[in-house]
Amino acid sequence: MAYDPNNVFAKILRGEIPCKKVHEDAHTLAFHDINPQAKVHVLVIPKGRYVSMDDFTAKASEAEIVGLFRAVGQVARQLGVAESGYRALTNAGRHAHQEVDHLHIHIFAGQPLGRMIQPPM
Ligand code: AMP
């Protein structure tokens, strides 16, 4: 899938729509999810134009890959949830119900999160 520069996270990165920012560095931006699914629900995104984890792991530089994973840990510590625990999750593609086609890692925390995944129907 080609990257669509008009996706909502591209617009956030360009400052065209607002976000509740929690972290920014050379390679990443993190902000609160607009429709939180847990007491803490933050998204960490790369600044580069990557559709999904598939696209990112195929094309991103080592600095971008390290930067994204370091940012996830840093954001969790900054939010004060590293000790109590959190779930980092990314949806890639149709079967995972990816809705926004710019790679994002969800951080869910602040409460017990239950089982990792629903069993297949
Ligand atoms: P996914 O299904 O993994 O693609 O998740 C997309 C996420 O983006 C959802 O949790 C949405 O609530 C979130 N989202 C969509 N638009 C915005 C926005 N403008 N600001 C923050 N989060 C958003």
Side-chain angles (χ1 to χ4, degrees):
M1 177 194 276
Y3 184 83
D4 173 8
N6 288 318
N7 76 72
V8 67
F9 295 164
K11 289 180 180 174
I12 286 174
L13 283 168
R14 290 195 297 267
E16 293 168 8
I17 60 174
C19 72
K20 279 177 64 184
K21 189 193 320 189
V22 299
H23 169 86
E24 182 168 16
D25 61 42
H27 293 298
T28 68
L29 178 69
F31 50 90
H32 289 278
D33 195 289
I34 204 167
N35 182 24
Q37 302 297 307
K39 282 186 183 157
V40 174
H41 185 176
V42 166
L43 303 172
V44 186
I45 69 172
K47 288 186 170 175
R49 293 156 55 113
Y50 301 104
V51 172
S52 66
M53 186 62 91
D54 180 57
D55 193 25
F56 186 69
T57 53
K59 297 182 192 154
S61 68
E62 292 189 8
E64 288 174 303
I65 292 171
V66 170
L68 181 62
F69 278 84
R70 285 226 188 273
V72 169
Q74 185 172 334
V75 167
R77 289 188 291 276
Q78 181 183 323
L79 293 168
V81 300
E83 276 202 24
S84 52
Y86 60 95
R87 179 168 296 149
L89 176 152
T90 186
N91 294 314
R94 202 163 34 91
H95 279 186
H97 290 263
Q98 181 177 1
E99 288 173 6
V100 178
D101 291 327
H102 181 114
L103 171 61
H104 47 285
I105 296 181
H106 298 258
I107 297 178
F108 302 103
Q111 64 186 75
L113 295 165
R115 288 173 62 86
M116 184 169 66
I117 193 167
Q118 290 180 338
M121 311 267 271

